[in-house]
Amino acid sequence: MELNNTIATPLYKQLEEKLQKEIETGERPAGSRLPTENELSETYNVSRVTVRKALAGLSELGYLYRKSGKGTFVAEKKIQRGITNGVLSFTDMCRMMNASPGAKITKIALEDPTEKEMELIRYADGKPVQLELNKFPESFSFLFSENLNDSSLYEILKKHNIILDHSQKTLDIVFATSKEAKALGISSGYPLLRIESVIHDVDNTITNLCRQLCIGDKFKFII
């Protein structure tokens, strides 16, 4: 899209939309540095004020960030998730953001009810972003025969006619243990958002308990 000063859309908005499209299509990948304000001003034949307003808009939307003395850079894509009583799978969240979902099972076991667990690391575009622990009753033992790596747990449950419908959530901030930090590729003590959910199916039966440890700066939470 070329800038056009004969249309109603302000030039700064046109530039903002152009840069946003380049970021979303990967033409300007995460971590790459943008040209300086002067360079952008010359390239698009607009004032530095126009450039500055466009960059400010993209920064507010989370597409850009500044490093003091180094310039403006493309931010890593954040996964948007709404904090509501609905149920949205991690896979669906990634697809909404045009990110490639992935998962790696670290443990699946049938144990005493208080210890029954299935633990997964969730990936977006190949990078670990979330550690997830699900606890199911024994009637869900069919999961042992499913391939859960790089799969959507919710889609597997749908295949068995189990439709997750709503949940109750509690949120708090915790700090990564050494084991959690190793799994997520972060430093021990790194702050994580913990989401504890009691999940129900369409018949209002509790299907599972879910604990998610999310790397906060990889997500954008919408309330």
Side-chain angles (χ1 to χ4, degrees), residues 163-212:
I163 310 299
L164 304 184
D165 182 68
H166 61 280
S167 64
Q168 291 85 45
K169 297 181 176 69
T170 59
L171 293 80
D172 62 353
I173 300 295
V174 296
F175 300 95
T177 64
S178 57
K179 181 180 178 181
E180 293 161 352
K182 183 177 180 181
L184 290 169
I186 55 178
S187 57
S188 182
Y190 198 94
L192 301 171
L193 178 67
R194 178 171 60 187
I195 305 174
E196 303 267 7
S197 303
V198 180
I199 301 176
H200 301 248
D201 64 15
V202 291
D203 297 319
N204 204 32
T205 301
I206 295 176
T207 58
N208 63 298
L209 306 178
C210 179
R211 185 188 70 197
Q212 297 164 309

Short mmCIF file of all heavy atoms in Angstrom, two decimals, residues 163-212:
data_model
loop_
_atom_site.label_atom_id
_atom_site.label_comp_id
_atom_site.label_asym_id
_atom_site.label_seq_id
_atom_site.Cartn_x
_atom_site.Cartn_y
_atom_site.Cartn_z
N ILE A 163 -17.51 -32.23 24.80
CA ILE A 163 -17.44 -30.84 24.39
C ILE A 163 -17.26 -29.96 25.62
O ILE A 163 -18.15 -29.88 26.48
CB ILE A 163 -18.71 -30.41 23.62
CG1 ILE A 163 -19.05 -31.42 22.51
CG2 ILE A 163 -18.55 -28.99 23.07
CD1 ILE A 163 -17.97 -31.54 21.46
N LEU A 164 -16.12 -29.31 25.73
CA LEU A 164 -15.88 -28.41 26.86
C LEU A 164 -16.63 -27.10 26.61
O LEU A 164 -16.61 -26.56 25.53
CB LEU A 164 -14.38 -28.16 27.01
CG LEU A 164 -13.51 -29.42 27.17
CD1 LEU A 164 -12.07 -29.04 27.40
CD2 LEU A 164 -14.03 -30.31 28.29
N ASP A 165 -17.28 -26.62 27.67
CA ASP A 165 -18.21 -25.50 27.47
C ASP A 165 -17.87 -24.26 28.28
O ASP A 165 -17.90 -23.14 27.76
CB ASP A 165 -19.63 -25.96 27.81
CG ASP A 165 -20.66 -24.88 27.58
OD1 ASP A 165 -20.88 -24.53 26.41
OD2 ASP A 165 -21.23 -24.38 28.57
N HIS A 166 -17.56 -24.40 29.56
CA HIS A 166 -17.29 -23.23 30.38
C HIS A 166 -16.38 -23.61 31.54
O HIS A 166 -16.13 -24.79 31.80
CB HIS A 166 -18.59 -22.59 30.90
CG HIS A 166 -19.41 -23.50 31.76
ND1 HIS A 166 -20.24 -24.47 31.23
CD2 HIS A 166 -19.54 -23.59 33.11
CE1 HIS A 166 -20.85 -25.12 32.21
NE2 HIS A 166 -20.43 -24.61 33.36
N SER A 167 -15.88 -22.59 32.23
CA SER A 167 -14.94 -22.85 33.32
C SER A 167 -14.98 -21.72 34.34
O SER A 167 -15.44 -20.62 34.05
CB SER A 167 -13.52 -23.00 32.77
OG SER A 167 -13.09 -21.78 32.17
N GLN A 168 -14.48 -22.02 35.54
CA GLN A 168 -14.25 -21.00 36.56
C GLN A 168 -12.74 -20.87 36.71
O GLN A 168 -12.02 -21.87 36.83
CB GLN A 168 -14.87 -21.38 37.90
CG GLN A 168 -16.39 -21.38 37.91
CD GLN A 168 -16.96 -22.69 37.40
OE1 GLN A 168 -16.50 -23.76 37.77
NE2 GLN A 168 -17.96 -22.60 36.56
N LYS A 169 -12.24 -19.63 36.71
CA LYS A 169 -10.80 -19.40 36.72
C LYS A 169 -10.38 -18.57 37.92
O LYS A 169 -11.11 -17.69 38.36
CB LYS A 169 -10.36 -18.67 35.44
CG LYS A 169 -10.58 -19.43 34.15
CD LYS A 169 -10.08 -18.60 32.97
CE LYS A 169 -10.20 -19.35 31.66
NZ LYS A 169 -11.58 -19.53 31.23
N THR A 170 -9.20 -18.86 38.41
CA THR A 170 -8.54 -17.98 39.38
C THR A 170 -7.15 -17.69 38.84
O THR A 170 -6.51 -18.56 38.22
CB THR A 170 -8.43 -18.63 40.77
OG1 THR A 170 -7.69 -19.86 40.68
CG2 THR A 170 -9.81 -18.92 41.34
N LEU A 171 -6.68 -16.45 39.04
CA LEU A 171 -5.39 -16.03 38.50
C LEU A 171 -4.52 -15.47 39.62
O LEU A 171 -5.02 -14.79 40.52
CB LEU A 171 -5.57 -14.95 37.43
CG LEU A 171 -6.25 -15.32 36.11
CD1 LEU A 171 -7.76 -15.34 36.26
CD2 LEU A 171 -5.87 -14.32 35.03
N ASP A 172 -3.22 -15.76 39.54
CA ASP A 172 -2.27 -15.13 40.42
C ASP A 172 -0.88 -15.16 39.77
O ASP A 172 -0.69 -15.80 38.74
CB ASP A 172 -2.26 -15.75 41.82
CG ASP A 172 -1.86 -17.22 41.82
OD1 ASP A 172 -1.70 -17.81 40.73
OD2 ASP A 172 -1.68 -17.78 42.91
N ILE A 173 0.04 -14.44 40.37
CA ILE A 173 1.41 -14.41 39.88
C ILE A 173 2.27 -15.32 40.73
O ILE A 173 2.22 -15.28 41.97
CB ILE A 173 1.99 -12.97 39.93
CG1 ILE A 173 1.15 -12.03 39.06
CG2 ILE A 173 3.45 -12.96 39.47
CD1 ILE A 173 1.17 -12.35 37.58
N VAL A 174 3.06 -16.19 40.08
CA VAL A 174 4.00 -17.06 40.78
C VAL A 174 5.37 -16.91 40.13
O VAL A 174 5.51 -16.21 39.11
CB VAL A 174 3.53 -18.54 40.72
CG1 VAL A 174 2.21 -18.72 41.46
CG2 VAL A 174 3.40 -19.02 39.28
N PHE A 175 6.36 -17.57 40.71
CA PHE A 175 7.72 -17.46 40.18
C PHE A 175 8.23 -18.85 39.82
O PHE A 175 8.05 -19.81 40.58
CB PHE A 175 8.62 -16.78 41.20
CG PHE A 175 8.15 -15.38 41.53
CD1 PHE A 175 7.34 -15.16 42.64
CD2 PHE A 175 8.48 -14.31 40.72
CE1 PHE A 175 6.87 -13.89 42.93
CE2 PHE A 175 8.01 -13.04 41.00
CZ PHE A 175 7.21 -12.83 42.10
N ALA A 176 8.82 -18.95 38.66
CA ALA A 176 9.20 -20.24 38.10
C ALA A 176 10.19 -20.98 38.99
O ALA A 176 11.20 -20.41 39.43
CB ALA A 176 9.80 -20.04 36.71
N THR A 177 9.89 -22.25 39.26
CA THR A 177 10.85 -23.11 39.93
C THR A 177 11.95 -23.47 38.94
O THR A 177 11.82 -23.23 37.72
CB THR A 177 10.18 -24.39 40.43
OG1 THR A 177 9.71 -25.14 39.29
CG2 THR A 177 8.98 -24.07 41.33
N SER A 178 13.00 -24.08 39.41
CA SER A 178 14.09 -24.45 38.50
C SER A 178 13.60 -25.44 37.45
O SER A 178 13.99 -25.36 36.28
CB SER A 178 15.27 -25.03 39.29
OG SER A 178 14.85 -26.14 40.07
N LYS A 179 12.71 -26.35 37.83
CA LYS A 179 12.17 -27.34 36.89
C LYS A 179 11.30 -26.66 35.84
O LYS A 179 11.41 -26.95 34.63
CB LYS A 179 11.37 -28.40 37.64
CG LYS A 179 10.78 -29.49 36.76
CD LYS A 179 10.00 -30.50 37.60
CE LYS A 179 9.37 -31.57 36.71
NZ LYS A 179 8.57 -32.54 37.53
N GLU A 180 10.43 -25.76 36.28
CA GLU A 180 9.55 -25.04 35.35
C GLU A 180 10.36 -24.15 34.43
O GLU A 180 10.09 -24.05 33.23
CB GLU A 180 8.53 -24.23 36.13
CG GLU A 180 7.52 -25.08 36.90
CD GLU A 180 6.81 -24.32 38.01
OE1 GLU A 180 7.20 -23.17 38.30
OE2 GLU A 180 5.86 -24.88 38.59
N ALA A 181 11.38 -23.49 35.00
CA ALA A 181 12.22 -22.60 34.20
C ALA A 181 12.94 -23.37 33.10
O ALA A 181 13.03 -22.91 31.96
CB ALA A 181 13.23 -21.90 35.11
N LYS A 182 13.44 -24.55 33.43
CA LYS A 182 14.14 -25.36 32.44
C LYS A 182 13.20 -25.76 31.31
O LYS A 182 13.57 -25.72 30.13
CB LYS A 182 14.74 -26.60 33.10
CG LYS A 182 15.56 -27.48 32.17
CD LYS A 182 16.17 -28.66 32.91
CE LYS A 182 16.98 -29.52 31.95
NZ LYS A 182 17.57 -30.70 32.66
N ALA A 183 11.98 -26.14 31.67
CA ALA A 183 11.01 -26.57 30.65
C ALA A 183 10.62 -25.42 29.73
O ALA A 183 10.41 -25.62 28.53
CB ALA A 183 9.76 -27.13 31.34
N LEU A 184 10.54 -24.20 30.28
CA LEU A 184 10.07 -23.06 29.50
C LEU A 184 11.22 -22.25 28.89
O LEU A 184 10.97 -21.28 28.16
CB LEU A 184 9.21 -22.14 30.38
CG LEU A 184 7.85 -22.72 30.77
CD1 LEU A 184 7.19 -21.86 31.85
CD2 LEU A 184 6.93 -22.85 29.57
N GLY A 185 12.45 -22.59 29.21
CA GLY A 185 13.59 -21.88 28.63
C GLY A 185 13.75 -20.48 29.20
O GLY A 185 14.12 -19.55 28.47
N ILE A 186 13.45 -20.33 30.49
CA ILE A 186 13.57 -19.03 31.16
C ILE A 186 14.44 -19.20 32.40
O ILE A 186 14.82 -20.32 32.75
CB ILE A 186 12.19 -18.47 31.55
CG1 ILE A 186 11.42 -19.48 32.40
CG2 ILE A 186 11.39 -18.09 30.31
CD1 ILE A 186 10.07 -19.00 32.87
N SER A 187 14.72 -18.12 33.09
CA SER A 187 15.54 -18.20 34.29
C SER A 187 14.68 -18.54 35.50
O SER A 187 13.49 -18.21 35.57
CB SER A 187 16.26 -16.87 34.53
OG SER A 187 15.32 -15.81 34.62
N SER A 188 15.27 -19.23 36.47
CA SER A 188 14.56 -19.58 37.70
C SER A 188 14.13 -18.30 38.40
O SER A 188 14.88 -17.32 38.48
CB SER A 188 15.49 -20.39 38.60
OG SER A 188 14.82 -20.79 39.77
N GLY A 189 12.90 -18.30 38.92
CA GLY A 189 12.36 -17.11 39.57
C GLY A 189 11.66 -16.14 38.63
O GLY A 189 11.14 -15.12 39.08
N TYR A 190 11.62 -16.46 37.33
CA TYR A 190 10.95 -15.60 36.34
C TYR A 190 9.46 -15.55 36.67
O TYR A 190 8.83 -16.57 36.96
CB TYR A 190 11.15 -16.18 34.94
CG TYR A 190 10.92 -15.21 33.82
CD1 TYR A 190 11.97 -14.49 33.26
CD2 TYR A 190 9.64 -15.02 33.29
CE1 TYR A 190 11.77 -13.61 32.21
CE2 TYR A 190 9.43 -14.13 32.25
CZ TYR A 190 10.49 -13.43 31.71
OH TYR A 190 10.28 -12.55 30.68
N PRO A 191 8.83 -14.36 36.64
CA PRO A 191 7.40 -14.27 36.98
C PRO A 191 6.52 -14.93 35.91
O PRO A 191 6.73 -14.77 34.72
CB PRO A 191 7.14 -12.76 37.05
CG PRO A 191 8.23 -12.13 36.25
CD PRO A 191 9.42 -13.03 36.38
N LEU A 192 5.55 -15.70 36.39
CA LEU A 192 4.61 -16.39 35.52
C LEU A 192 3.19 -16.07 35.97
O LEU A 192 2.93 -15.87 37.17
CB LEU A 192 4.81 -17.91 35.58
CG LEU A 192 6.19 -18.46 35.21
CD1 LEU A 192 6.25 -19.95 35.54
CD2 LEU A 192 6.47 -18.24 33.73
N LEU A 193 2.27 -16.03 35.02
CA LEU A 193 0.85 -15.92 35.37
C LEU A 193 0.30 -17.33 35.50
O LEU A 193 0.38 -18.13 34.56
CB LEU A 193 0.08 -15.15 34.29
CG LEU A 193 -1.42 -15.03 34.56
CD1 LEU A 193 -1.69 -14.17 35.78
CD2 LEU A 193 -2.15 -14.46 33.35
N ARG A 194 -0.23 -17.64 36.68
CA ARG A 194 -0.84 -18.96 36.91
C ARG A 194 -2.35 -18.84 36.77
O ARG A 194 -2.98 -18.00 37.41
CB ARG A 194 -0.47 -19.49 38.29
CG ARG A 194 -1.11 -20.85 38.60
CD ARG A 194 -0.56 -21.46 39.88
NE ARG A 194 -0.79 -20.60 41.05
CZ ARG A 194 -0.28 -20.84 42.25
NH1 ARG A 194 0.51 -21.89 42.43
NH2 ARG A 194 -0.55 -20.03 43.26
N ILE A 195 -2.93 -19.68 35.93
CA ILE A 195 -4.38 -19.72 35.73
C ILE A 195 -4.87 -21.11 36.15
O ILE A 195 -4.48 -22.12 35.56
CB ILE A 195 -4.78 -19.46 34.26
CG1 ILE A 195 -4.19 -18.14 33.77
CG2 ILE A 195 -6.30 -19.46 34.11
CD1 ILE A 195 -4.42 -17.88 32.30
N GLU A 196 -5.70 -21.15 37.19
CA GLU A 196 -6.29 -22.40 37.66
C GLU A 196 -7.74 -22.44 37.18
O GLU A 196 -8.51 -21.51 37.44
CB GLU A 196 -6.24 -22.48 39.19
CG GLU A 196 -4.86 -22.35 39.79
CD GLU A 196 -4.18 -23.69 40.01
OE1 GLU A 196 -4.74 -24.71 39.57
OE2 GLU A 196 -3.09 -23.71 40.61
N SER A 197 -8.11 -23.50 36.47
CA SER A 197 -9.46 -23.59 35.89
C SER A 197 -10.15 -24.88 36.29
O SER A 197 -9.54 -25.95 36.33
CB SER A 197 -9.39 -23.52 34.35
OG SER A 197 -8.74 -22.35 33.91
N VAL A 198 -11.44 -24.75 36.59
CA VAL A 198 -12.32 -25.91 36.76
C VAL A 198 -13.19 -25.92 35.52
O VAL A 198 -14.00 -25.02 35.30
CB VAL A 198 -13.18 -25.79 38.04
CG1 VAL A 198 -14.08 -27.01 38.17
CG2 VAL A 198 -12.30 -25.63 39.27
N ILE A 199 -13.03 -26.95 34.69
CA ILE A 199 -13.65 -26.96 33.36
C ILE A 199 -14.86 -27.90 33.33
O ILE A 199 -14.79 -29.03 33.85
CB ILE A 199 -12.62 -27.34 32.29
CG1 ILE A 199 -11.46 -26.32 32.32
CG2 ILE A 199 -13.25 -27.39 30.90
CD1 ILE A 199 -10.33 -26.64 31.38
N HIS A 200 -15.95 -27.43 32.71
CA HIS A 200 -17.18 -28.20 32.62
C HIS A 200 -17.52 -28.48 31.15
O HIS A 200 -17.15 -27.70 30.27
CB HIS A 200 -18.36 -27.41 33.22
CG HIS A 200 -18.17 -27.03 34.66
ND1 HIS A 200 -18.92 -27.56 35.67
CD2 HIS A 200 -17.31 -26.16 35.25
CE1 HIS A 200 -18.55 -27.03 36.83
NE2 HIS A 200 -17.57 -26.18 36.59
N ASP A 201 -18.25 -29.57 30.93
CA ASP A 201 -18.74 -29.85 29.58
C ASP A 201 -20.12 -29.24 29.39
O ASP A 201 -20.62 -28.50 30.25
CB ASP A 201 -18.73 -31.36 29.30
CG ASP A 201 -19.68 -32.14 30.20
OD1 ASP A 201 -20.55 -31.52 30.85
OD2 ASP A 201 -19.56 -33.38 30.26
N VAL A 202 -20.76 -29.54 28.25
CA VAL A 202 -22.06 -28.93 27.94
C VAL A 202 -23.16 -29.41 28.87
O VAL A 202 -24.22 -28.77 28.97
CB VAL A 202 -22.46 -29.22 26.47
CG1 VAL A 202 -21.56 -28.46 25.51
CG2 VAL A 202 -22.43 -30.72 26.18
N ASP A 203 -22.93 -30.52 29.57
CA ASP A 203 -23.91 -31.03 30.55
C ASP A 203 -23.63 -30.50 31.95
O ASP A 203 -24.23 -30.97 32.92
CB ASP A 203 -23.91 -32.56 30.57
CG ASP A 203 -24.34 -33.15 29.23
OD1 ASP A 203 -25.28 -32.60 28.64
OD2 ASP A 203 -23.72 -34.13 28.78
N ASN A 204 -22.68 -29.56 32.05
CA ASN A 204 -22.28 -28.94 33.31
C ASN A 204 -21.58 -29.92 34.25
O ASN A 204 -21.51 -29.71 35.46
CB ASN A 204 -23.48 -28.31 34.04
CG ASN A 204 -23.04 -27.21 34.99
OD1 ASN A 204 -22.06 -26.52 34.75
ND2 ASN A 204 -23.75 -27.06 36.09
N THR A 205 -21.04 -31.00 33.68
CA THR A 205 -20.24 -31.94 34.46
C THR A 205 -18.78 -31.50 34.45
O THR A 205 -18.26 -31.12 33.39
CB THR A 205 -20.34 -33.36 33.85
OG1 THR A 205 -21.71 -33.76 33.84
CG2 THR A 205 -19.51 -34.36 34.65
N ILE A 206 -18.13 -31.55 35.60
CA ILE A 206 -16.71 -31.20 35.65
C ILE A 206 -15.91 -32.26 34.91
O ILE A 206 -16.00 -33.46 35.22
CB ILE A 206 -16.21 -31.08 37.10
CG1 ILE A 206 -16.91 -29.90 37.79
CG2 ILE A 206 -14.70 -30.89 37.14
CD1 ILE A 206 -16.56 -29.75 39.25
N THR A 207 -15.17 -31.84 33.90
CA THR A 207 -14.37 -32.78 33.11
C THR A 207 -12.93 -32.86 33.60
O THR A 207 -12.33 -33.93 33.64
CB THR A 207 -14.35 -32.38 31.62
OG1 THR A 207 -13.83 -31.04 31.51
CG2 THR A 207 -15.75 -32.43 31.03
N ASN A 208 -12.36 -31.72 33.95
CA ASN A 208 -10.95 -31.71 34.34
C ASN A 208 -10.59 -30.43 35.08
O ASN A 208 -11.31 -29.44 35.04
CB ASN A 208 -10.04 -31.88 33.12
CG ASN A 208 -10.14 -30.76 32.13
OD1 ASN A 208 -11.21 -30.52 31.55
ND2 ASN A 208 -9.05 -30.06 31.90
N LEU A 209 -9.47 -30.51 35.78
CA LEU A 209 -8.86 -29.35 36.42
C LEU A 209 -7.62 -29.01 35.61
O LEU A 209 -6.87 -29.90 35.22
CB LEU A 209 -8.48 -29.67 37.86
CG LEU A 209 -9.60 -30.21 38.76
CD1 LEU A 209 -9.05 -30.53 40.15
CD2 LEU A 209 -10.76 -29.24 38.85
N CYS A 210 -7.42 -27.74 35.37
CA CYS A 210 -6.31 -27.32 34.51
C CYS A 210 -5.51 -26.22 35.21
O CYS A 210 -6.09 -25.28 35.75
CB CYS A 210 -6.83 -26.81 33.17
SG CYS A 210 -5.55 -26.24 32.04
N ARG A 211 -4.20 -26.38 35.21
CA ARG A 211 -3.32 -25.32 35.70
C ARG A 211 -2.38 -24.92 34.57
O ARG A 211 -1.72 -25.77 33.97
CB ARG A 211 -2.47 -25.80 36.88
CG ARG A 211 -1.63 -24.68 37.50
CD ARG A 211 -0.67 -25.22 38.54
NE ARG A 211 0.39 -26.00 37.90
CZ ARG A 211 1.18 -26.86 38.55
NH1 ARG A 211 0.99 -27.08 39.83
NH2 ARG A 211 2.12 -27.51 37.91
N GLN A 212 -2.36 -23.64 34.26
CA GLN A 212 -1.51 -23.12 33.20
C GLN A 212 -0.54 -22.10 33.77
O GLN A 212 -0.94 -21.21 34.52
CB GLN A 212 -2.36 -22.46 32.10
CG GLN A 212 -3.29 -23.45 31.40
CD GLN A 212 -4.38 -22.74 30.61
OE1 GLN A 212 -5.07 -21.88 31.13
NE2 GLN A 212 -4.53 -23.11 29.36
#
